[in-house]
mmCIF file of all heavy atoms in Angstrom:
data_model
loop_
_atom_site.group_PDB
_atom_site.id
_atom_site.type_symbol
_atom_site.label_atom_id
_atom_site.label_comp_id
_atom_site.label_asym_id
_atom_site.label_seq_id
_atom_site.Cartn_x
_atom_site.Cartn_y
_atom_site.Cartn_z
ATOM 1 N N MET A 19 135.041 123.704 -3.132
ATOM 2 C CA MET A 19 133.846 122.897 -2.970
ATOM 3 C C MET A 19 132.704 123.792 -2.517
ATOM 4 O O MET A 19 132.916 124.866 -1.959
ATOM 5 C CB MET A 19 134.092 121.740 -1.969
ATOM 6 C CG MET A 19 135.239 120.830 -2.344
ATOM 7 S SD MET A 19 135.582 119.582 -1.050
ATOM 8 C CE MET A 19 134.214 118.454 -1.302
ATOM 9 N N LEU A 20 131.497 123.292 -2.728
ATOM 10 C CA LEU A 20 130.284 124.029 -2.367
ATOM 11 C C LEU A 20 129.278 123.054 -1.758
ATOM 12 O O LEU A 20 128.911 122.065 -2.389
ATOM 13 C CB LEU A 20 129.686 124.701 -3.614
ATOM 14 C CG LEU A 20 128.285 125.317 -3.453
ATOM 15 C CD1 LEU A 20 128.309 126.473 -2.491
ATOM 16 C CD2 LEU A 20 127.760 125.765 -4.824
ATOM 17 N N MET A 21 128.831 123.363 -0.553
ATOM 18 C CA MET A 21 127.741 122.618 0.062
ATOM 19 C C MET A 21 126.490 123.425 -0.119
ATOM 20 O O MET A 21 126.420 124.601 0.263
ATOM 21 C CB MET A 21 128.019 122.375 1.544
ATOM 22 C CG MET A 21 126.930 121.586 2.256
ATOM 23 S SD MET A 21 127.356 121.248 3.963
ATOM 24 C CE MET A 21 125.796 120.597 4.574
ATOM 25 N N THR A 22 125.466 122.824 -0.696
ATOM 26 C CA THR A 22 124.255 123.588 -1.005
ATOM 27 C C THR A 22 123.046 122.661 -1.080
ATOM 28 O O THR A 22 123.204 121.457 -1.345
ATOM 29 C CB THR A 22 124.427 124.359 -2.325
ATOM 30 O OG1 THR A 22 123.301 125.154 -2.573
ATOM 31 C CG2 THR A 22 124.658 123.399 -3.505
ATOM 32 N N ASN A 23 121.875 123.202 -0.839
ATOM 33 C CA ASN A 23 120.653 122.416 -0.986
ATOM 34 C C ASN A 23 120.295 122.266 -2.454
ATOM 35 O O ASN A 23 120.986 122.747 -3.345
ATOM 36 C CB ASN A 23 119.520 123.104 -0.217
ATOM 37 C CG ASN A 23 119.639 122.935 1.272
ATOM 38 O OD1 ASN A 23 120.699 122.597 1.788
ATOM 39 N ND2 ASN A 23 118.557 123.176 2.018
ATOM 40 N N PHE A 24 119.186 121.572 -2.725
ATOM 41 C CA PHE A 24 118.722 121.371 -4.101
ATOM 42 C C PHE A 24 117.785 122.502 -4.474
ATOM 43 O O PHE A 24 116.876 122.861 -3.734
ATOM 44 C CB PHE A 24 118.022 120.017 -4.205
ATOM 45 C CG PHE A 24 118.970 118.862 -4.032
ATOM 46 C CD1 PHE A 24 119.130 118.286 -2.782
ATOM 47 C CD2 PHE A 24 119.711 118.376 -5.094
ATOM 48 C CE1 PHE A 24 120.018 117.219 -2.602
ATOM 49 C CE2 PHE A 24 120.597 117.323 -4.923
ATOM 50 C CZ PHE A 24 120.745 116.740 -3.687
ATOM 51 N N HIS A 25 118.007 123.061 -5.663
ATOM 52 C CA HIS A 25 117.362 124.315 -6.055
ATOM 53 C C HIS A 25 116.246 124.146 -7.080
ATOM 54 O O HIS A 25 116.098 123.064 -7.678
ATOM 55 C CB HIS A 25 118.425 125.276 -6.590
ATOM 56 C CG HIS A 25 119.537 125.507 -5.630
ATOM 57 N ND1 HIS A 25 119.346 126.150 -4.422
ATOM 58 C CD2 HIS A 25 120.850 125.155 -5.656
ATOM 59 C CE1 HIS A 25 120.487 126.187 -3.773
ATOM 60 N NE2 HIS A 25 121.428 125.604 -4.494
ATOM 61 N N LEU A 26 115.493 125.215 -7.272
ATOM 62 C CA LEU A 26 114.359 125.217 -8.198
ATOM 63 C C LEU A 26 114.818 125.125 -9.650
ATOM 64 O O LEU A 26 115.887 125.625 -10.010
ATOM 65 C CB LEU A 26 113.536 126.490 -8.045
ATOM 66 C CG LEU A 26 112.587 126.617 -6.869
ATOM 67 C CD1 LEU A 26 113.322 126.847 -5.584
ATOM 68 C CD2 LEU A 26 111.601 127.773 -7.109
ATOM 69 N N PRO A 27 114.006 124.480 -10.494
ATOM 70 C CA PRO A 27 114.301 124.504 -11.923
ATOM 71 C C PRO A 27 114.234 125.934 -12.456
ATOM 72 O O PRO A 27 113.516 126.777 -11.945
ATOM 73 C CB PRO A 27 113.188 123.629 -12.534
ATOM 74 C CG PRO A 27 112.094 123.601 -11.519
ATOM 75 C CD PRO A 27 112.767 123.728 -10.189
ATOM 76 N N ARG A 28 115.066 126.217 -13.445
ATOM 77 C CA ARG A 28 115.117 127.517 -14.124
ATOM 78 C C ARG A 28 115.508 128.642 -13.176
ATOM 79 O O ARG A 28 115.255 129.823 -13.461
ATOM 80 C CB ARG A 28 113.784 127.850 -14.806
ATOM 81 C CG ARG A 28 113.348 126.826 -15.825
ATOM 82 C CD ARG A 28 111.951 127.117 -16.353
ATOM 83 N NE ARG A 28 111.938 128.321 -17.191
ATOM 84 C CZ ARG A 28 111.999 128.327 -18.529
ATOM 85 N NH1 ARG A 28 112.073 127.187 -19.195
ATOM 86 N NH2 ARG A 28 111.968 129.468 -19.189
ATOM 87 N N SER A 29 116.131 128.318 -12.060
ATOM 88 C CA SER A 29 116.485 129.347 -11.066
ATOM 89 C C SER A 29 117.936 129.777 -11.239
ATOM 90 O O SER A 29 118.786 129.046 -11.785
ATOM 91 C CB SER A 29 116.284 128.806 -9.656
ATOM 92 O OG SER A 29 117.185 127.729 -9.380
ATOM 93 N N THR A 30 118.250 130.976 -10.733
ATOM 94 C CA THR A 30 119.634 131.456 -10.805
ATOM 95 C C THR A 30 120.554 130.570 -9.980
ATOM 96 O O THR A 30 121.756 130.468 -10.287
ATOM 97 C CB THR A 30 119.722 132.910 -10.292
ATOM 98 O OG1 THR A 30 119.293 132.966 -8.926
ATOM 99 C CG2 THR A 30 118.880 133.826 -11.152
ATOM 100 N N LEU A 31 120.025 129.912 -8.950
ATOM 101 C CA LEU A 31 120.869 129.057 -8.110
ATOM 102 C C LEU A 31 121.189 127.746 -8.790
ATOM 103 O O LEU A 31 122.306 127.220 -8.638
ATOM 104 C CB LEU A 31 120.169 128.816 -6.757
ATOM 105 C CG LEU A 31 119.890 130.087 -5.957
ATOM 106 C CD1 LEU A 31 119.261 129.751 -4.610
ATOM 107 C CD2 LEU A 31 121.163 130.917 -5.770
ATOM 108 N N PHE A 32 120.255 127.187 -9.548
ATOM 109 C CA PHE A 32 120.593 125.990 -10.329
ATOM 110 C C PHE A 32 121.589 126.341 -11.422
ATOM 111 O O PHE A 32 122.454 125.542 -11.778
ATOM 112 C CB PHE A 32 119.330 125.342 -10.925
ATOM 113 C CG PHE A 32 119.614 124.040 -11.622
ATOM 114 C CD1 PHE A 32 120.193 122.973 -10.955
ATOM 115 C CD2 PHE A 32 119.346 123.895 -12.971
ATOM 116 C CE1 PHE A 32 120.468 121.772 -11.602
ATOM 117 C CE2 PHE A 32 119.621 122.696 -13.640
ATOM 118 C CZ PHE A 32 120.186 121.638 -12.954
ATOM 119 N N MET A 33 121.483 127.551 -11.949
ATOM 120 C CA MET A 33 122.488 128.009 -12.938
ATOM 121 C C MET A 33 123.861 128.106 -12.295
ATOM 122 O O MET A 33 124.880 127.717 -12.874
ATOM 123 C CB MET A 33 122.064 129.354 -13.502
ATOM 124 C CG MET A 33 120.797 129.301 -14.348
ATOM 125 S SD MET A 33 120.195 130.955 -14.787
ATOM 126 C CE MET A 33 118.580 130.533 -15.493
ATOM 127 N N LEU A 34 123.900 128.609 -11.039
ATOM 128 C CA LEU A 34 125.180 128.726 -10.344
ATOM 129 C C LEU A 34 125.825 127.356 -10.109
ATOM 130 O O LEU A 34 127.026 127.197 -10.375
ATOM 131 C CB LEU A 34 124.976 129.457 -9.022
ATOM 132 C CG LEU A 34 126.234 129.776 -8.183
ATOM 133 C CD1 LEU A 34 126.022 131.006 -7.336
ATOM 134 C CD2 LEU A 34 126.614 128.600 -7.278
ATOM 135 N N VAL A 35 125.072 126.401 -9.583
ATOM 136 C CA VAL A 35 125.685 125.076 -9.334
ATOM 137 C C VAL A 35 126.080 124.398 -10.631
ATOM 138 O O VAL A 35 127.058 123.637 -10.688
ATOM 139 C CB VAL A 35 124.763 124.173 -8.490
ATOM 140 C CG1 VAL A 35 124.505 124.806 -7.112
ATOM 141 C CG2 VAL A 35 123.435 123.865 -9.175
ATOM 142 N N SER A 36 125.351 124.689 -11.712
ATOM 143 C CA SER A 36 125.710 124.152 -13.013
ATOM 144 C C SER A 36 127.016 124.773 -13.519
ATOM 145 O O SER A 36 127.824 124.112 -14.169
ATOM 146 C CB SER A 36 124.598 124.388 -14.033
ATOM 147 O OG SER A 36 123.409 123.720 -13.656
ATOM 148 N N ALA A 37 127.248 126.025 -13.197
ATOM 149 C CA ALA A 37 128.526 126.672 -13.513
ATOM 150 C C ALA A 37 129.649 126.062 -12.696
ATOM 151 O O ALA A 37 130.773 125.920 -13.177
ATOM 152 C CB ALA A 37 128.430 128.171 -13.266
ATOM 153 N N PHE A 38 129.336 125.683 -11.458
ATOM 154 C CA PHE A 38 130.366 125.208 -10.547
ATOM 155 C C PHE A 38 130.835 123.781 -10.890
ATOM 156 O O PHE A 38 132.036 123.493 -10.910
ATOM 157 C CB PHE A 38 129.842 125.239 -9.108
ATOM 158 C CG PHE A 38 130.900 125.093 -8.051
ATOM 159 C CD1 PHE A 38 131.691 126.180 -7.687
ATOM 160 C CD2 PHE A 38 131.130 123.876 -7.422
ATOM 161 C CE1 PHE A 38 132.670 126.068 -6.714
ATOM 162 C CE2 PHE A 38 132.115 123.746 -6.462
ATOM 163 C CZ PHE A 38 132.884 124.846 -6.090
ATOM 164 N N SER A 39 129.894 122.895 -11.158
ATOM 165 C CA SER A 39 130.239 121.486 -11.375
ATOM 166 C C SER A 39 129.941 120.993 -12.784
ATOM 167 O O SER A 39 130.231 119.833 -13.111
ATOM 168 C CB SER A 39 129.503 120.608 -10.367
ATOM 169 O OG SER A 39 129.929 120.868 -9.061
ATOM 170 N N GLY A 40 129.328 121.845 -13.609
ATOM 171 C CA GLY A 40 128.995 121.432 -14.990
ATOM 172 C C GLY A 40 127.523 121.159 -15.144
ATOM 173 O O GLY A 40 126.907 120.492 -14.263
ATOM 174 N N LEU A 41 126.923 121.647 -16.220
ATOM 175 C CA LEU A 41 125.479 121.512 -16.417
ATOM 176 C C LEU A 41 125.062 120.042 -16.501
ATOM 177 O O LEU A 41 124.117 119.624 -15.831
ATOM 178 C CB LEU A 41 125.052 122.273 -17.659
ATOM 179 C CG LEU A 41 123.561 122.147 -18.045
ATOM 180 C CD1 LEU A 41 122.674 122.584 -16.911
ATOM 181 C CD2 LEU A 41 123.286 122.984 -19.298
ATOM 182 N N GLU A 42 125.745 119.243 -17.296
ATOM 183 C CA GLU A 42 125.342 117.832 -17.443
ATOM 184 C C GLU A 42 125.563 117.079 -16.144
ATOM 185 O O GLU A 42 124.765 116.212 -15.792
ATOM 186 C CB GLU A 42 126.093 117.198 -18.616
ATOM 187 C CG GLU A 42 125.681 117.716 -19.968
ATOM 188 C CD GLU A 42 124.160 117.663 -20.155
ATOM 189 O OE1 GLU A 42 123.536 116.632 -19.833
ATOM 190 O OE2 GLU A 42 123.580 118.687 -20.581
ATOM 191 N N THR A 43 126.626 117.404 -15.437
ATOM 192 C CA THR A 43 126.870 116.775 -14.138
ATOM 193 C C THR A 43 125.713 117.059 -13.187
ATOM 194 O O THR A 43 125.204 116.162 -12.502
ATOM 195 C CB THR A 43 128.170 117.302 -13.525
ATOM 196 O OG1 THR A 43 129.274 116.877 -14.332
ATOM 197 C CG2 THR A 43 128.383 116.747 -12.101
ATOM 198 N N MET A 44 125.252 118.310 -13.150
ATOM 199 C CA MET A 44 124.191 118.671 -12.221
ATOM 200 C C MET A 44 122.840 118.144 -12.675
ATOM 201 O O MET A 44 122.007 117.750 -11.831
ATOM 202 C CB MET A 44 124.135 120.181 -12.033
ATOM 203 C CG MET A 44 125.363 120.768 -11.333
ATOM 204 S SD MET A 44 125.854 119.856 -9.826
ATOM 205 C CE MET A 44 124.369 119.981 -8.825
ATOM 206 N N ARG A 45 122.612 118.068 -13.964
ATOM 207 C CA ARG A 45 121.367 117.459 -14.423
ATOM 208 C C ARG A 45 121.311 115.994 -14.010
ATOM 209 O O ARG A 45 120.253 115.491 -13.569
ATOM 210 C CB ARG A 45 121.212 117.619 -15.937
ATOM 211 C CG ARG A 45 120.958 119.062 -16.401
ATOM 212 C CD ARG A 45 120.739 119.151 -17.899
ATOM 213 N NE ARG A 45 119.490 118.494 -18.275
ATOM 214 C CZ ARG A 45 118.304 119.090 -18.301
ATOM 215 N NH1 ARG A 45 118.190 120.367 -17.952
ATOM 216 N NH2 ARG A 45 117.228 118.428 -18.657
ATOM 217 N N SER A 46 122.426 115.308 -14.118
ATOM 218 C CA SER A 46 122.478 113.901 -13.698
ATOM 219 C C SER A 46 122.328 113.767 -12.191
ATOM 220 O O SER A 46 121.635 112.863 -11.698
ATOM 221 C CB SER A 46 123.798 113.282 -14.148
ATOM 222 O OG SER A 46 123.907 113.245 -15.545
ATOM 223 N N ALA A 47 122.962 114.666 -11.458
ATOM 224 C CA ALA A 47 122.871 114.636 -9.991
ATOM 225 C C ALA A 47 121.435 114.865 -9.533
ATOM 226 O O ALA A 47 120.939 114.181 -8.626
ATOM 227 C CB ALA A 47 123.809 115.676 -9.383
ATOM 228 N N TYR A 48 120.732 115.822 -10.145
ATOM 229 C CA TYR A 48 119.358 116.108 -9.758
ATOM 230 C C TYR A 48 118.429 114.965 -10.163
ATOM 231 O O TYR A 48 117.501 114.625 -9.423
ATOM 232 C CB TYR A 48 118.897 117.431 -10.368
ATOM 233 C CG TYR A 48 119.234 118.643 -9.525
ATOM 234 C CD1 TYR A 48 120.524 118.798 -9.002
ATOM 235 C CD2 TYR A 48 118.290 119.599 -9.214
ATOM 236 C CE1 TYR A 48 120.849 119.906 -8.218
ATOM 237 C CE2 TYR A 48 118.598 120.699 -8.429
ATOM 238 C CZ TYR A 48 119.879 120.843 -7.918
ATOM 239 O OH TYR A 48 120.195 121.936 -7.150
ATOM 240 N N ALA A 49 118.684 114.349 -11.291
ATOM 241 C CA ALA A 49 117.869 113.176 -11.682
ATOM 242 C C ALA A 49 118.049 112.065 -10.665
ATOM 243 O O ALA A 49 117.079 111.407 -10.269
ATOM 244 C CB ALA A 49 118.285 112.713 -13.079
ATOM 245 N N HIS A 50 119.287 111.839 -10.215
ATOM 246 C CA HIS A 50 119.556 110.832 -9.187
ATOM 247 C C HIS A 50 118.841 111.194 -7.883
ATOM 248 O O HIS A 50 118.238 110.334 -7.231
ATOM 249 C CB HIS A 50 121.075 110.762 -8.951
ATOM 250 C CG HIS A 50 121.476 109.879 -7.810
ATOM 251 N ND1 HIS A 50 121.765 108.535 -7.964
ATOM 252 C CD2 HIS A 50 121.620 110.146 -6.473
ATOM 253 C CE1 HIS A 50 122.088 108.011 -6.787
ATOM 254 N NE2 HIS A 50 122.015 108.961 -5.871
ATOM 255 N N ALA A 51 118.919 112.457 -7.505
ATOM 256 C CA ALA A 51 118.259 112.902 -6.265
ATOM 257 C C ALA A 51 116.754 112.694 -6.314
ATOM 258 O O ALA A 51 116.139 112.256 -5.340
ATOM 259 C CB ALA A 51 118.602 114.361 -5.990
ATOM 260 N N ILE A 52 116.168 113.006 -7.444
ATOM 261 C CA ILE A 52 114.712 112.841 -7.573
ATOM 262 C C ILE A 52 114.349 111.359 -7.526
ATOM 263 O O ILE A 52 113.427 110.945 -6.814
ATOM 264 C CB ILE A 52 114.224 113.492 -8.883
ATOM 265 C CG1 ILE A 52 114.349 115.013 -8.786
ATOM 266 C CG2 ILE A 52 112.774 113.090 -9.182
ATOM 267 C CD1 ILE A 52 114.153 115.735 -10.102
ATOM 268 N N ASP A 53 115.096 110.535 -8.256
ATOM 269 C CA ASP A 53 114.817 109.093 -8.304
ATOM 270 C C ASP A 53 115.005 108.423 -6.939
ATOM 271 O O ASP A 53 114.347 107.436 -6.625
ATOM 272 C CB ASP A 53 115.692 108.394 -9.339
ATOM 273 C CG ASP A 53 115.325 108.751 -10.765
ATOM 274 O OD1 ASP A 53 114.211 109.277 -10.990
ATOM 275 O OD2 ASP A 53 116.154 108.511 -11.662
ATOM 276 N N ASN A 54 115.923 108.988 -6.143
ATOM 277 C CA ASN A 54 116.241 108.370 -4.858
ATOM 278 C C ASN A 54 115.596 109.125 -3.676
ATOM 279 O O ASN A 54 116.022 108.966 -2.553
ATOM 280 C CB ASN A 54 117.758 108.299 -4.674
ATOM 281 C CG ASN A 54 118.398 107.247 -5.536
ATOM 282 O OD1 ASN A 54 118.508 106.080 -5.148
ATOM 283 N ND2 ASN A 54 118.818 107.611 -6.743
ATOM 284 N N ARG A 55 114.586 109.909 -3.992
ATOM 285 C CA ARG A 55 113.712 110.513 -2.997
ATOM 286 C C ARG A 55 114.435 111.469 -2.050
ATOM 287 O O ARG A 55 114.128 111.536 -0.861
ATOM 288 C CB ARG A 55 112.923 109.464 -2.221
ATOM 289 C CG ARG A 55 112.148 108.492 -3.102
ATOM 290 C CD ARG A 55 111.216 107.598 -2.296
ATOM 291 N NE ARG A 55 110.114 108.373 -1.761
ATOM 292 C CZ ARG A 55 109.021 108.723 -2.437
ATOM 293 N NH1 ARG A 55 108.872 108.343 -3.713
ATOM 294 N NH2 ARG A 55 108.073 109.424 -1.857
ATOM 295 N N TYR A 56 115.409 112.195 -2.577
ATOM 296 C CA TYR A 56 115.969 113.287 -1.793
ATOM 297 C C TYR A 56 114.910 114.351 -1.602
ATOM 298 O O TYR A 56 113.991 114.516 -2.413
ATOM 299 C CB TYR A 56 117.178 113.897 -2.508
ATOM 300 C CG TYR A 56 118.490 113.181 -2.255
ATOM 301 C CD1 TYR A 56 118.742 111.924 -2.816
ATOM 302 C CD2 TYR A 56 119.478 113.761 -1.470
ATOM 303 C CE1 TYR A 56 119.949 111.276 -2.599
ATOM 304 C CE2 TYR A 56 120.686 113.119 -1.245
ATOM 305 C CZ TYR A 56 120.921 111.881 -1.811
ATOM 306 O OH TYR A 56 122.108 111.238 -1.593
ATOM 307 N N ARG A 57 115.018 115.104 -0.505
ATOM 308 C CA ARG A 57 114.071 116.175 -0.176
ATOM 309 C C ARG A 57 114.661 117.486 -0.707
ATOM 310 O O ARG A 57 115.809 117.813 -0.472
ATOM 311 C CB ARG A 57 113.827 116.222 1.332
ATOM 312 C CG ARG A 57 113.310 114.892 1.852
ATOM 313 C CD ARG A 57 113.415 114.776 3.367
ATOM 314 N NE ARG A 57 112.463 115.626 4.048
ATOM 315 C CZ ARG A 57 112.796 116.679 4.779
ATOM 316 N NH1 ARG A 57 114.066 117.048 4.900
ATOM 317 N NH2 ARG A 57 111.879 117.383 5.390
ATOM 318 N N PHE A 58 113.834 118.284 -1.391
ATOM 319 C CA PHE A 58 114.310 119.461 -2.107
ATOM 320 C C PHE A 58 113.994 120.777 -1.377
ATOM 321 O O PHE A 58 113.080 120.861 -0.554
ATOM 322 C CB PHE A 58 113.668 119.516 -3.504
ATOM 323 C CG PHE A 58 114.468 118.752 -4.546
ATOM 324 C CD1 PHE A 58 114.674 117.379 -4.437
ATOM 325 C CD2 PHE A 58 115.024 119.414 -5.639
ATOM 326 C CE1 PHE A 58 115.384 116.695 -5.403
ATOM 327 C CE2 PHE A 58 115.744 118.724 -6.607
ATOM 328 C CZ PHE A 58 115.927 117.370 -6.483
ATOM 329 N N TYR A 59 114.776 121.765 -1.749
ATOM 330 C CA TYR A 59 114.582 123.191 -1.422
ATOM 331 C C TYR A 59 115.005 123.517 0.023
ATOM 332 O O TYR A 59 115.785 122.797 0.646
ATOM 333 C CB TYR A 59 113.188 123.664 -1.738
ATOM 334 C CG TYR A 59 112.759 123.483 -3.183
ATOM 335 C CD1 TYR A 59 111.419 123.497 -3.546
ATOM 336 C CD2 TYR A 59 113.689 123.262 -4.198
ATOM 337 C CE1 TYR A 59 111.033 123.323 -4.875
ATOM 338 C CE2 TYR A 59 113.319 123.082 -5.525
ATOM 339 C CZ TYR A 59 111.975 123.133 -5.853
ATOM 340 O OH TYR A 59 111.588 122.972 -7.164
ATOM 341 N N SER A 60 114.485 124.597 0.578
ATOM 342 C CA SER A 60 115.047 125.204 1.783
ATOM 343 C C SER A 60 115.124 124.275 2.981
ATOM 344 O O SER A 60 116.117 124.278 3.725
ATOM 345 C CB SER A 60 114.212 126.442 2.161
ATOM 346 O OG SER A 60 114.322 127.443 1.174
ATOM 347 N N TYR A 61 114.110 123.474 3.212
ATOM 348 C CA TYR A 61 114.105 122.550 4.328
ATOM 349 C C TYR A 61 114.542 121.132 3.912
ATOM 350 O O TYR A 61 114.396 120.180 4.680
ATOM 351 C CB TYR A 61 112.704 122.475 4.950
ATOM 352 C CG TYR A 61 112.386 123.582 5.944
ATOM 353 C CD1 TYR A 61 111.048 123.942 6.168
ATOM 354 C CD2 TYR A 61 113.374 124.235 6.640
ATOM 355 C CE1 TYR A 61 110.734 124.936 7.089
ATOM 356 C CE2 TYR A 61 113.056 125.238 7.554
ATOM 357 C CZ TYR A 61 111.738 125.588 7.778
ATOM 358 O OH TYR A 61 111.433 126.565 8.685
ATOM 359 N N GLY A 62 115.098 121.012 2.728
ATOM 360 C CA GLY A 62 115.432 119.705 2.203
ATOM 361 C C GLY A 62 116.849 119.242 2.483
ATOM 362 O O GLY A 62 117.547 119.765 3.364
ATOM 363 N N ASP A 63 117.286 118.250 1.719
ATOM 364 C CA ASP A 63 118.607 117.657 1.868
ATOM 365 C C ASP A 63 119.654 118.520 1.185
ATOM 366 O O ASP A 63 119.358 119.580 0.627
ATOM 367 C CB ASP A 63 118.595 116.248 1.282
ATOM 368 C CG ASP A 63 117.659 115.310 2.054
ATOM 369 O OD1 ASP A 63 117.676 115.352 3.296
ATOM 370 O OD2 ASP A 63 116.947 114.539 1.397
ATOM 371 N N ALA A 64 120.907 118.068 1.244
ATOM 372 C CA ALA A 64 122.018 118.872 0.737
ATOM 373 C C ALA A 64 122.863 118.087 -0.265
ATOM 374 O O ALA A 64 122.762 116.868 -0.386
ATOM 375 C CB ALA A 64 122.887 119.357 1.914
ATOM 376 N N SER A 65 123.721 118.833 -0.931
ATOM 377 C CA SER A 65 124.723 118.247 -1.822
ATOM 378 C C SER A 65 126.069 118.858 -1.493
ATOM 379 O O SER A 65 126.155 119.990 -1.010
ATOM 380 C CB SER A 65 124.354 118.500 -3.300
ATOM 381 O OG SER A 65 124.282 119.884 -3.570
#
């Protein structure tokens, strides 16, 4: 398992989490986070 914050688009870190849990899974997770007002990046929420 991996606990991590929400990362920038087109970043190496979003690529890493997409490798870990699957690209479509992470695209859906980020869409959910955006729609549900999660806070992003270094001072933001976690997954």
Side-chain angles (χ1 to χ4, degrees):
M19 302 175 75
L20 170 65
M21 181 176 170
T22 184
N23 285 18
F24 293 94
H25 304 295
L26 282 73
R28 302 174 69 98
S29 65
T30 61
L31 300 182
F32 185 60
M33 294 171 190
L34 184 152
V35 298
S36 297
F38 195 80
S39 295
L41 177 56
E42 291 308 313
T43 295
M44 293 313 301
R45 290 184 68 88
S46 296
Y48 273 48
H50 173 92
I52 291 168
D53 290 344
N54 287 273
R55 306 189 70 81
Y56 275 72
R57 303 163 72 247
F58 272 63
Y59 303 161
S60 294
Y61 278 155
D63 296 317
S65 60

